[in-house]
PDB file of all heavy atoms in Angstrom:
ATOM      1  N   PHE A1095      12.830 -55.267 -11.591  1.00 92.00           N
ATOM      2  CA  PHE A1095      11.388 -55.382 -11.898  1.00 92.00           C
ATOM      3  C   PHE A1095      11.047 -56.783 -12.445  1.00 92.00           C
ATOM      4  O   PHE A1095       9.815 -57.037 -12.856  1.00 92.00           O
ATOM      5  CB  PHE A1095      10.984 -54.287 -12.929  1.00 92.00           C
ATOM      6  CG  PHE A1095      11.247 -52.915 -12.395  1.00 92.00           C
ATOM      7  CD1 PHE A1095      12.356 -52.198 -12.737  1.00 92.00           C
ATOM      8  CD2 PHE A1095      10.227 -52.305 -11.616  1.00 92.00           C
ATOM      9  CE1 PHE A1095      12.523 -50.869 -12.253  1.00 92.00           C
ATOM     10  CE2 PHE A1095      10.420 -51.042 -11.169  1.00 92.00           C
ATOM     11  CZ  PHE A1095      11.569 -50.341 -11.556  1.00 92.00           C
ATOM     12  N   HIS A1096      12.044 -57.686 -12.508  1.00 90.00           N
ATOM     13  CA  HIS A1096      11.723 -58.996 -12.906  1.00 90.00           C
ATOM     14  C   HIS A1096      11.120 -59.154 -14.345  1.00 90.00           C
ATOM     15  O   HIS A1096      10.206 -59.959 -14.510  1.00 90.00           O
ATOM     16  CB  HIS A1096      11.027 -59.737 -11.889  1.00 90.00           C
ATOM     17  CG  HIS A1096      11.496 -59.684 -10.600  1.00 90.00           C
ATOM     18  ND1 HIS A1096      12.703 -60.261 -10.176  1.00 90.00           N
ATOM     19  CD2 HIS A1096      11.023 -58.978  -9.451  1.00 90.00           C
ATOM     20  CE1 HIS A1096      12.909 -59.945  -8.830  1.00 90.00           C
ATOM     21  NE2 HIS A1096      11.990 -59.240  -8.390  1.00 90.00           N
ATOM     22  N   VAL A1097      11.578 -58.289 -15.218  1.00 90.00           N
ATOM     23  CA  VAL A1097      11.012 -58.384 -16.629  1.00 90.00           C
ATOM     24  C   VAL A1097      11.646 -59.611 -17.225  1.00 90.00           C
ATOM     25  O   VAL A1097      12.823 -59.872 -17.157  1.00 90.00           O
ATOM     26  CB  VAL A1097      11.371 -57.040 -17.411  1.00 90.00           C
ATOM     27  CG1 VAL A1097      10.933 -57.183 -18.843  1.00 90.00           C
ATOM     28  CG2 VAL A1097      10.808 -55.827 -16.698  1.00 90.00           C
ATOM     29  N   GLN A1098      10.803 -60.307 -17.988  1.00 83.00           N
ATOM     30  CA  GLN A1098      11.233 -61.539 -18.685  1.00 83.00           C
ATOM     31  C   GLN A1098      10.862 -61.694 -20.080  1.00 83.00           C
ATOM     32  O   GLN A1098      11.364 -62.667 -20.751  1.00 83.00           O
ATOM     33  CB  GLN A1098      10.605 -62.765 -17.840  1.00 83.00           C
ATOM     34  CG  GLN A1098      10.997 -62.824 -16.405  1.00 83.00           C
ATOM     35  CD  GLN A1098      10.458 -64.076 -15.660  1.00 83.00           C
ATOM     36  OE1 GLN A1098       9.519 -64.767 -16.260  1.00 83.00           O
ATOM     37  NE2 GLN A1098      10.928 -64.366 -14.493  1.00 83.00           N
ATOM     38  N   ASP A1099      10.175 -60.793 -20.656  1.00 83.00           N
ATOM     39  CA  ASP A1099       9.760 -60.924 -22.074  1.00 83.00           C
ATOM     40  C   ASP A1099      10.477 -59.911 -22.831  1.00 83.00           C
ATOM     41  O   ASP A1099      10.926 -58.798 -22.393  1.00 83.00           O
ATOM     42  CB  ASP A1099       8.308 -60.800 -22.243  1.00 83.00           C
ATOM     43  CG  ASP A1099       7.798 -59.448 -21.727  1.00 83.00           C
ATOM     44  OD1 ASP A1099       7.688 -59.262 -20.463  1.00 83.00           O
ATOM     45  OD2 ASP A1099       7.372 -58.595 -22.544  1.00 83.00           O
ATOM     46  N   LEU A1100      10.537 -60.113 -24.135  1.00 81.00           N
ATOM     47  CA  LEU A1100      11.287 -59.246 -25.115  1.00 81.00           C
ATOM     48  C   LEU A1100      10.595 -57.918 -25.295  1.00 81.00           C
ATOM     49  O   LEU A1100      11.213 -56.956 -25.543  1.00 81.00           O
ATOM     50  CB  LEU A1100      11.314 -59.877 -26.491  1.00 81.00           C
ATOM     51  CG  LEU A1100      12.226 -61.127 -26.589  1.00 81.00           C
ATOM     52  CD1 LEU A1100      12.105 -61.736 -28.022  1.00 81.00           C
ATOM     53  CD2 LEU A1100      13.622 -60.766 -26.359  1.00 81.00           C
ATOM     54  N   THR A1101       9.238 -57.810 -25.144  1.00 83.00           N
ATOM     55  CA  THR A1101       8.558 -56.552 -25.170  1.00 83.00           C
ATOM     56  C   THR A1101       8.917 -55.637 -24.027  1.00 83.00           C
ATOM     57  O   THR A1101       9.210 -54.462 -24.175  1.00 83.00           O
ATOM     58  CB  THR A1101       6.973 -56.780 -25.129  1.00 83.00           C
ATOM     59  OG1 THR A1101       6.650 -57.617 -26.242  1.00 83.00           O
ATOM     60  CG2 THR A1101       6.305 -55.439 -25.279  1.00 83.00           C
ATOM     61  N   GLY A1102       9.077 -56.291 -22.820  1.00 87.00           N
ATOM     62  CA  GLY A1102       9.474 -55.475 -21.620  1.00 87.00           C
ATOM     63  C   GLY A1102      10.988 -55.030 -21.828  1.00 87.00           C
ATOM     64  O   GLY A1102      11.266 -53.858 -21.463  1.00 87.00           O
ATOM     65  N   TYR A1103      11.777 -55.890 -22.410  1.00 88.00           N
ATOM     66  CA  TYR A1103      13.150 -55.478 -22.650  1.00 88.00           C
ATOM     67  C   TYR A1103      13.326 -54.309 -23.602  1.00 88.00           C
ATOM     68  O   TYR A1103      13.963 -53.368 -23.400  1.00 88.00           O
ATOM     69  CB  TYR A1103      13.940 -56.662 -23.335  1.00 88.00           C
ATOM     70  CG  TYR A1103      14.134 -57.899 -22.502  1.00 88.00           C
ATOM     71  CD1 TYR A1103      14.699 -58.969 -23.090  1.00 88.00           C
ATOM     72  CD2 TYR A1103      13.938 -57.794 -21.124  1.00 88.00           C
ATOM     73  CE1 TYR A1103      14.960 -60.175 -22.284  1.00 88.00           C
ATOM     74  CE2 TYR A1103      14.210 -58.971 -20.363  1.00 88.00           C
ATOM     75  CZ  TYR A1103      14.693 -60.087 -20.909  1.00 88.00           C
ATOM     76  OH  TYR A1103      14.970 -61.213 -20.181  1.00 88.00           O
ATOM     77  N   ALA A1104      12.333 -54.281 -24.576  1.00 87.00           N
ATOM     78  CA  ALA A1104      12.369 -53.176 -25.571  1.00 87.00           C
ATOM     79  C   ALA A1104      12.089 -51.878 -24.932  1.00 87.00           C
ATOM     80  O   ALA A1104      12.683 -50.843 -25.197  1.00 87.00           O
ATOM     81  CB  ALA A1104      11.272 -53.443 -26.709  1.00 87.00           C
ATOM     82  N   TRP A1105      10.980 -51.854 -24.039  1.00 89.00           N
ATOM     83  CA  TRP A1105      10.694 -50.570 -23.374  1.00 89.00           C
ATOM     84  C   TRP A1105      11.740 -50.055 -22.477  1.00 89.00           C
ATOM     85  O   TRP A1105      12.061 -48.873 -22.398  1.00 89.00           O
ATOM     86  CB  TRP A1105       9.384 -50.674 -22.728  1.00 89.00           C
ATOM     87  CG  TRP A1105       8.229 -50.540 -23.701  1.00 89.00           C
ATOM     88  CD1 TRP A1105       7.439 -51.612 -24.077  1.00 89.00           C
ATOM     89  CD2 TRP A1105       7.759 -49.476 -24.391  1.00 89.00           C
ATOM     90  NE1 TRP A1105       6.473 -51.222 -25.023  1.00 89.00           N
ATOM     91  CE2 TRP A1105       6.643 -49.881 -25.257  1.00 89.00           C
ATOM     92  CE3 TRP A1105       8.134 -48.119 -24.499  1.00 89.00           C
ATOM     93  CZ2 TRP A1105       6.013 -49.054 -26.066  1.00 89.00           C
ATOM     94  CZ3 TRP A1105       7.549 -47.264 -25.404  1.00 89.00           C
ATOM     95  CH2 TRP A1105       6.456 -47.704 -26.165  1.00 89.00           C
ATOM     96  N   PHE A1106      12.311 -50.901 -21.684  1.00 92.00           N
ATOM     97  CA  PHE A1106      13.412 -50.540 -20.777  1.00 92.00           C
ATOM     98  C   PHE A1106      14.605 -50.084 -21.624  1.00 92.00           C
ATOM     99  O   PHE A1106      15.302 -49.172 -21.210  1.00 92.00           O
ATOM    100  CB  PHE A1106      13.845 -51.711 -19.910  1.00 92.00           C
ATOM    101  CG  PHE A1106      12.950 -51.812 -18.590  1.00 92.00           C
ATOM    102  CD1 PHE A1106      11.872 -52.506 -18.547  1.00 92.00           C
ATOM    103  CD2 PHE A1106      13.413 -51.036 -17.468  1.00 92.00           C
ATOM    104  CE1 PHE A1106      11.023 -52.509 -17.357  1.00 92.00           C
ATOM    105  CE2 PHE A1106      12.664 -51.127 -16.336  1.00 92.00           C
ATOM    106  CZ  PHE A1106      11.520 -51.821 -16.307  1.00 92.00           C
ATOM    107  N   SER A1107      14.977 -50.854 -22.706  1.00 89.00           N
ATOM    108  CA  SER A1107      16.063 -50.468 -23.491  1.00 89.00           C
ATOM    109  C   SER A1107      15.935 -49.087 -24.150  1.00 89.00           C
ATOM    110  O   SER A1107      16.784 -48.270 -24.163  1.00 89.00           O
ATOM    111  CB  SER A1107      16.242 -51.575 -24.580  1.00 89.00           C
ATOM    112  OG  SER A1107      17.185 -51.178 -25.510  1.00 89.00           O
ATOM    113  N   LEU A1108      14.721 -48.826 -24.629  1.00 88.00           N
ATOM    114  CA  LEU A1108      14.422 -47.524 -25.288  1.00 88.00           C
ATOM    115  C   LEU A1108      14.474 -46.447 -24.278  1.00 88.00           C
ATOM    116  O   LEU A1108      15.148 -45.293 -24.553  1.00 88.00           O
ATOM    117  CB  LEU A1108      13.040 -47.477 -25.909  1.00 88.00           C
ATOM    118  CG  LEU A1108      12.727 -46.456 -26.865  1.00 88.00           C
ATOM    119  CD1 LEU A1108      13.759 -46.588 -28.040  1.00 88.00           C
ATOM    120  CD2 LEU A1108      11.348 -46.664 -27.492  1.00 88.00           C
ATOM    121  N   ALA A1109      14.032 -46.624 -23.062  1.00 90.00           N
ATOM    122  CA  ALA A1109      14.088 -45.561 -22.073  1.00 90.00           C
ATOM    123  C   ALA A1109      15.518 -45.372 -21.595  1.00 90.00           C
ATOM    124  O   ALA A1109      15.928 -44.178 -21.491  1.00 90.00           O
ATOM    125  CB  ALA A1109      13.277 -45.975 -20.825  1.00 90.00           C
ATOM    126  N   GLY A1110      16.300 -46.388 -21.451  1.00 91.00           N
ATOM    127  CA  GLY A1110      17.721 -46.277 -21.049  1.00 91.00           C
ATOM    128  C   GLY A1110      18.528 -45.600 -22.133  1.00 91.00           C
ATOM    129  O   GLY A1110      19.395 -44.797 -21.844  1.00 91.00           O
ATOM    130  N   ALA A1111      18.236 -45.944 -23.378  1.00 88.00           N
ATOM    131  CA  ALA A1111      18.954 -45.357 -24.448  1.00 88.00           C
ATOM    132  C   ALA A1111      18.716 -43.782 -24.489  1.00 88.00           C
ATOM    133  O   ALA A1111      19.594 -42.967 -24.652  1.00 88.00           O
ATOM    134  CB  ALA A1111      18.561 -45.921 -25.772  1.00 88.00           C
ATOM    135  N   GLY A1112      17.466 -43.433 -24.340  1.00 86.00           N
ATOM    136  CA  GLY A1112      17.135 -41.952 -24.294  1.00 86.00           C
ATOM    137  C   GLY A1112      17.760 -41.227 -23.182  1.00 86.00           C
ATOM    138  O   GLY A1112      18.256 -40.132 -23.349  1.00 86.00           O
ATOM    139  N   LEU A1113      17.675 -41.840 -21.983  1.00 91.00           N
ATOM    140  CA  LEU A1113      18.274 -41.134 -20.832  1.00 91.00           C
ATOM    141  C   LEU A1113      19.800 -40.950 -20.896  1.00 91.00           C
ATOM    142  O   LEU A1113      20.359 -39.895 -20.653  1.00 91.00           O
ATOM    143  CB  LEU A1113      17.914 -41.845 -19.502  1.00 91.00           C
ATOM    144  CG  LEU A1113      16.443 -41.800 -19.148  1.00 91.00           C
ATOM    145  CD1 LEU A1113      16.232 -42.771 -17.966  1.00 91.00           C
ATOM    146  CD2 LEU A1113      15.962 -40.425 -18.808  1.00 91.00           C
ATOM    147  N   ALA A1114      20.440 -42.067 -21.430  1.00 91.00           N
ATOM    148  CA  ALA A1114      21.883 -42.023 -21.589  1.00 91.00           C
ATOM    149  C   ALA A1114      22.256 -40.907 -22.626  1.00 91.00           C
ATOM    150  O   ALA A1114      23.139 -40.147 -22.485  1.00 91.00           O
ATOM    151  CB  ALA A1114      22.414 -43.390 -21.975  1.00 91.00           C
ATOM    152  N   ALA A1115      21.519 -40.905 -23.807  1.00 84.00           N
ATOM    153  CA  ALA A1115      21.900 -39.950 -24.863  1.00 84.00           C
ATOM    154  C   ALA A1115      21.628 -38.551 -24.375  1.00 84.00           C
ATOM    155  O   ALA A1115      22.331 -37.628 -24.624  1.00 84.00           O
ATOM    156  CB  ALA A1115      21.018 -40.189 -26.054  1.00 84.00           C
ATOM    157  N   ALA A1116      20.601 -38.426 -23.539  1.00 84.00           N
ATOM    158  CA  ALA A1116      20.268 -37.063 -23.038  1.00 84.00           C
ATOM    159  C   ALA A1116      21.388 -36.550 -22.129  1.00 84.00           C
ATOM    160  O   ALA A1116      21.750 -35.432 -22.077  1.00 84.00           O
ATOM    161  CB  ALA A1116      18.890 -37.049 -22.313  1.00 84.00           C
ATOM    162  N   ALA A1117      21.900 -37.510 -21.237  1.00 90.00           N
ATOM    163  CA  ALA A1117      23.016 -37.178 -20.309  1.00 90.00           C
ATOM    164  C   ALA A1117      24.259 -36.742 -21.152  1.00 90.00           C
ATOM    165  O   ALA A1117      24.883 -35.862 -20.841  1.00 90.00           O
ATOM    166  CB  ALA A1117      23.299 -38.328 -19.421  1.00 90.00           C
ATOM    167  N   VAL A1118      24.597 -37.549 -22.136  1.00 88.00           N
ATOM    168  CA  VAL A1118      25.750 -37.210 -23.088  1.00 88.00           C
ATOM    169  C   VAL A1118      25.525 -35.949 -23.715  1.00 88.00           C
ATOM    170  O   VAL A1118      26.473 -35.042 -23.760  1.00 88.00           O
ATOM    171  CB  VAL A1118      25.993 -38.334 -24.031  1.00 88.00           C
ATOM    172  CG1 VAL A1118      27.048 -38.015 -25.065  1.00 88.00           C
ATOM    173  CG2 VAL A1118      26.309 -39.656 -23.341  1.00 88.00           C
ATOM    174  N   PHE A1119      24.320 -35.704 -24.162  1.00 81.00           N
ATOM    175  CA  PHE A1119      24.009 -34.412 -24.907  1.00 81.00           C
ATOM    176  C   PHE A1119      24.244 -33.206 -23.934  1.00 81.00           C
ATOM    177  O   PHE A1119      24.756 -32.181 -24.273  1.00 81.00           O
ATOM    178  CB  PHE A1119      22.611 -34.413 -25.390  1.00 81.00           C
ATOM    179  CG  PHE A1119      22.242 -33.243 -26.346  1.00 81.00           C
ATOM    180  CD1 PHE A1119      22.586 -33.347 -27.645  1.00 81.00           C
ATOM    181  CD2 PHE A1119      21.633 -32.213 -25.784  1.00 81.00           C
ATOM    182  CE1 PHE A1119      22.292 -32.225 -28.469  1.00 81.00           C
ATOM    183  CE2 PHE A1119      21.329 -31.112 -26.634  1.00 81.00           C
ATOM    184  CZ  PHE A1119      21.638 -31.146 -27.957  1.00 81.00           C
ATOM    185  N   ALA A1120      23.761 -33.379 -22.622  1.00 84.00           N
ATOM    186  CA  ALA A1120      23.886 -32.323 -21.652  1.00 84.00           C
ATOM    187  C   ALA A1120      25.303 -32.065 -21.274  1.00 84.00           C
ATOM    188  O   ALA A1120      25.743 -30.940 -21.151  1.00 84.00           O
ATOM    189  CB  ALA A1120      23.055 -32.642 -20.430  1.00 84.00           C
ATOM    190  N   ILE A1121      26.098 -33.148 -21.079  1.00 89.00           N
ATOM    191  CA  ILE A1121      27.474 -33.001 -20.641  1.00 89.00           C
ATOM    192  C   ILE A1121      28.370 -32.462 -21.796  1.00 89.00           C
ATOM    193  O   ILE A1121      29.220 -31.633 -21.608  1.00 89.00           O
ATOM    194  CB  ILE A1121      28.045 -34.374 -20.234  1.00 89.00           C
ATOM    195  CG1 ILE A1121      27.262 -34.892 -19.013  1.00 89.00           C
ATOM    196  CG2 ILE A1121      29.513 -34.261 -19.910  1.00 89.00           C
ATOM    197  CD1 ILE A1121      27.616 -36.215 -18.594  1.00 89.00           C
ATOM    198  N   GLY A1122      28.078 -32.900 -22.978  1.00 83.00           N
ATOM    199  CA  GLY A1122      28.849 -32.472 -24.151  1.00 83.00           C
ATOM    200  C   GLY A1122      28.483 -31.176 -24.827  1.00 83.00           C
ATOM    201  O   GLY A1122      29.025 -30.867 -25.896  1.00 83.00           O
ATOM    202  N   SER A1123      27.502 -30.504 -24.313  1.00 76.00           N
ATOM    203  CA  SER A1123      27.086 -29.220 -24.898  1.00 76.00           C
ATOM    204  C   SER A1123      27.697 -28.050 -24.183  1.00 76.00           C
ATOM    205  O   SER A1123      27.831 -28.072 -22.917  1.00 76.00           O
ATOM    206  CB  SER A1123      25.576 -29.080 -24.842  1.00 76.00           C
ATOM    207  OG  SER A1123      24.864 -30.123 -25.585  1.00 76.00           O
ATOM    208  N   THR A1124      28.042 -27.054 -24.852  1.00 73.00           N
ATOM    209  CA  THR A1124      28.541 -25.844 -24.317  1.00 73.00           C
ATOM    210  C   THR A1124      27.401 -24.792 -24.366  1.00 73.00           C
ATOM    211  O   THR A1124      26.339 -25.061 -24.766  1.00 73.00           O
ATOM    212  CB  THR A1124      29.871 -25.349 -25.083  1.00 73.00           C
ATOM    213  OG1 THR A1124      29.394 -25.108 -26.549  1.00 73.00           O
ATOM    214  CG2 THR A1124      30.893 -26.408 -25.039  1.00 73.00           C
ATOM    215  N   LYS A1125      27.787 -23.547 -24.100  1.00 70.00           N
ATOM    216  CA  LYS A1125      26.876 -22.413 -24.153  1.00 70.00           C
ATOM    217  C   LYS A1125      26.294 -22.258 -25.634  1.00 70.00           C
ATOM    218  O   LYS A1125      25.157 -21.867 -25.781  1.00 70.00           O
ATOM    219  CB  LYS A1125      27.352 -21.108 -23.703  1.00 70.00           C
ATOM    220  CG  LYS A1125      27.679 -21.076 -22.197  1.00 70.00           C
ATOM    221  CD  LYS A1125      28.239 -19.819 -21.717  1.00 70.00           C
ATOM    222  CE  LYS A1125      28.532 -19.751 -20.188  1.00 70.00           C
ATOM    223  NZ  LYS A1125      29.118 -18.457 -19.812  1.00 70.00           N
ATOM    224  N   GLY A1126      27.107 -22.497 -26.596  1.00 61.00           N
ATOM    225  CA  GLY A1126      26.740 -22.418 -27.945  1.00 61.00           C
ATOM    226  C   GLY A1126      25.989 -23.589 -28.481  1.00 61.00           C
ATOM    227  O   GLY A1126      25.453 -23.576 -29.564  1.00 61.00           O
ATOM    228  N   GLY A1127      25.899 -24.748 -27.737  1.00 62.00           N
ATOM    229  CA  GLY A1127      25.223 -25.916 -28.220  1.00 62.00           C
ATOM    230  C   GLY A1127      26.140 -27.235 -28.162  1.00 62.00           C
ATOM    231  O   GLY A1127      27.189 -27.097 -27.540  1.00 62.00           O
ATOM    232  N   PRO A1128      25.678 -28.258 -28.688  1.00 66.00           N
ATOM    233  CA  PRO A1128      26.485 -29.455 -28.692  1.00 66.00           C
ATOM    234  C   PRO A1128      27.802 -29.285 -29.491  1.00 66.00           C
ATOM    235  O   PRO A1128      27.740 -28.978 -30.648  1.00 66.00           O
ATOM    236  CB  PRO A1128      25.573 -30.541 -29.305  1.00 66.00           C
ATOM    237  CG  PRO A1128      24.630 -29.743 -30.245  1.00 66.00           C
ATOM    238  CD  PRO A1128      24.433 -28.406 -29.491  1.00 66.00           C
ATOM    239  N   ASP A1129      28.928 -29.684 -28.768  1.00 72.00           N
ATOM    240  CA  ASP A1129      30.166 -29.698 -29.537  1.00 72.00           C
ATOM    241  C   ASP A1129      30.594 -31.086 -29.905  1.00 72.00           C
ATOM    242  O   ASP A1129      30.541 -32.044 -29.057  1.00 72.00           O
ATOM    243  CB  ASP A1129      31.268 -29.062 -28.517  1.00 72.00           C
ATOM    244  CG  ASP A1129      32.681 -29.094 -29.125  1.00 72.00           C
ATOM    245  OD1 ASP A1129      32.857 -28.321 -30.118  1.00 72.00           O
ATOM    246  OD2 ASP A1129      33.423 -29.888 -28.765  1.00 72.00           O
ATOM    247  N   PRO A1130      30.996 -31.324 -31.167  1.00 71.00           N
ATOM    248  CA  PRO A1130      31.286 -32.724 -31.652  1.00 71.00           C
ATOM    249  C   PRO A1130      32.295 -33.424 -30.740  1.00 71.00           C
ATOM    250  O   PRO A1130      32.132 -34.601 -30.493  1.00 71.00           O
ATOM    251  CB  PRO A1130      31.788 -32.546 -33.084  1.00 71.00           C
ATOM    252  CG  PRO A1130      31.159 -31.262 -33.509  1.00 71.00           C
ATOM    253  CD  PRO A1130      31.056 -30.334 -32.344  1.00 71.00           C
ATOM    254  N   ILE A1131      33.469 -32.780 -30.504  1.00 76.00           N
ATOM    255  CA  ILE A1131      34.522 -33.370 -29.807  1.00 76.00           C
ATOM    256  C   ILE A1131      33.988 -33.674 -28.361  1.00 76.00           C
ATOM    257  O   ILE A1131      34.314 -34.782 -27.845  1.00 76.00           O
ATOM    258  CB  ILE A1131      35.743 -32.510 -29.722  1.00 76.00           C
ATOM    259  CG1 ILE A1131      36.209 -32.150 -31.186  1.00 76.00           C
ATOM    260  CG2 ILE A1131      36.873 -33.200 -28.880  1.00 76.00           C
ATOM    261  CD1 ILE A1131      36.574 -33.352 -31.981  1.00 76.00           C
ATOM    262  N   SER A1132      33.336 -32.725 -27.799  1.00 83.00           N
ATOM    263  CA  SER A1132      32.855 -32.867 -26.370  1.00 83.00           C
ATOM    264  C   SER A1132      31.791 -34.018 -26.328  1.00 83.00           C
ATOM    265  O   SER A1132      31.754 -34.820 -25.368  1.00 83.00           O
ATOM    266  CB  SER A1132      32.238 -31.590 -25.835  1.00 83.00           C
ATOM    267  OG  SER A1132      33.208 -30.525 -25.791  1.00 83.00           O
ATOM    268  N   LEU A1133      30.910 -34.182 -27.351  1.00 80.00           N
ATOM    269  CA  LEU A1133      29.974 -35.246 -27.353  1.00 80.00           C
ATOM    270  C   LEU A1133      30.651 -36.592 -27.352  1.00 80.00           C
ATOM    271  O   LEU A1133      30.250 -37.520 -26.697  1.00 80.00           O
ATOM    272  CB  LEU A1133      29.073 -35.094 -28.592  1.00 80.00           C
ATOM    273  CG  LEU A1133      27.971 -34.050 -28.491  1.00 80.00           C
ATOM    274  CD1 LEU A1133      27.212 -33.981 -29.780  1.00 80.00           C
ATOM    275  CD2 LEU A1133      27.012 -34.334 -27.376  1.00 80.00           C
ATOM    276  N   VAL A1134      31.762 -36.731 -28.168  1.00 80.00           N
ATOM    277  CA  VAL A1134      32.418 -38.001 -28.262  1.00 80.00           C
ATOM    278  C   VAL A1134      33.071 -38.342 -26.944  1.00 80.00           C
ATOM    279  O   VAL A1134      33.084 -39.506 -26.444  1.00 80.00           O
ATOM    280  CB  VAL A1134      33.502 -37.973 -29.365  1.00 80.00           C
ATOM    281  CG1 VAL A1134      34.332 -39.213 -29.332  1.00 80.00           C
ATOM    282  CG2 VAL A1134      32.795 -37.888 -30.720  1.00 80.00           C
ATOM    283  N   LEU A1135      33.789 -37.395 -26.268  1.00 87.00           N
ATOM    284  CA  LEU A1135      34.394 -37.645 -25.037  1.00 87.00           C
ATOM    285  C   LEU A1135      33.403 -37.934 -23.914  1.00 87.00           C
ATOM    286  O   LEU A1135      33.558 -38.834 -23.095  1.00 87.00           O
ATOM    287  CB  LEU A1135      35.160 -36.337 -24.655  1.00 87.00           C
ATOM    288  CG  LEU A1135      36.394 -36.023 -25.586  1.00 87.00           C
ATOM    289  CD1 LEU A1135      37.071 -34.798 -25.114  1.00 87.00           C
ATOM    290  CD2 LEU A1135      37.394 -37.298 -25.477  1.00 87.00           C
ATOM    291  N   ALA A1136      32.240 -37.109 -23.845  1.00 90.00           N
ATOM    292  CA  ALA A1136      31.205 -37.418 -22.870  1.00 90.00           C
ATOM    293  C   ALA A1136      30.623 -38.782 -23.148  1.00 90.00           C
ATOM    294  O   ALA A1136      30.322 -39.567 -22.155  1.00 90.00           O
ATOM    295  CB  ALA A1136      30.155 -36.299 -23.027  1.00 90.00           C
ATOM    296  N   GLY A1137      30.343 -39.210 -24.417  1.00 90.00           N
ATOM    297  CA  GLY A1137      29.802 -40.480 -24.701  1.00 90.00           C
ATOM    298  C   GLY A1137      30.736 -41.595 -24.339  1.00 90.00           C
ATOM    299  O   GLY A1137      30.227 -42.638 -23.710  1.00 90.00           O
ATOM    300  N   THR A1138      31.985 -41.490 -24.394  1.00 90.00           N
ATOM    301  CA  THR A1138      32.917 -42.524 -24.056  1.00 90.00           C
ATOM    302  C   THR A1138      32.910 -42.638 -22.556  1.00 90.00           C
ATOM    303  O   THR A1138      32.868 -43.731 -21.977  1.00 90.00           O
ATOM    304  CB  THR A1138      34.345 -42.151 -24.543  1.00 90.00           C
ATOM    305  OG1 THR A1138      34.338 -42.035 -25.969  1.00 90.00           O
ATOM    306  CG2 THR A1138      35.264 -43.172 -24.156  1.00 90.00           C
ATOM    307  N   ALA A1139      32.843 -41.500 -21.914  1.00 93.00           N
ATOM    308  CA  ALA A1139      32.848 -41.527 -20.326  1.00 93.00           C
ATOM    309  C   ALA A1139      31.596 -42.233 -19.856  1.00 93.00           C
ATOM    310  O   ALA A1139      31.626 -43.049 -18.901  1.00 93.00           O
ATOM    311  CB  ALA A1139      33.161 -40.221 -19.803  1.00 93.00           C
TER     312      ALA A1139
END
């Protein structure tokens, strides 16, 4: 998208952080909810 200013970086960064954390949360959660060990392993991967 040829973003060149810090404001644009901030919005893309915030969106990417949210999507990545949501993915880790989904991968690292079991039927009972988020598992601490699974979250760390999913986050590393």
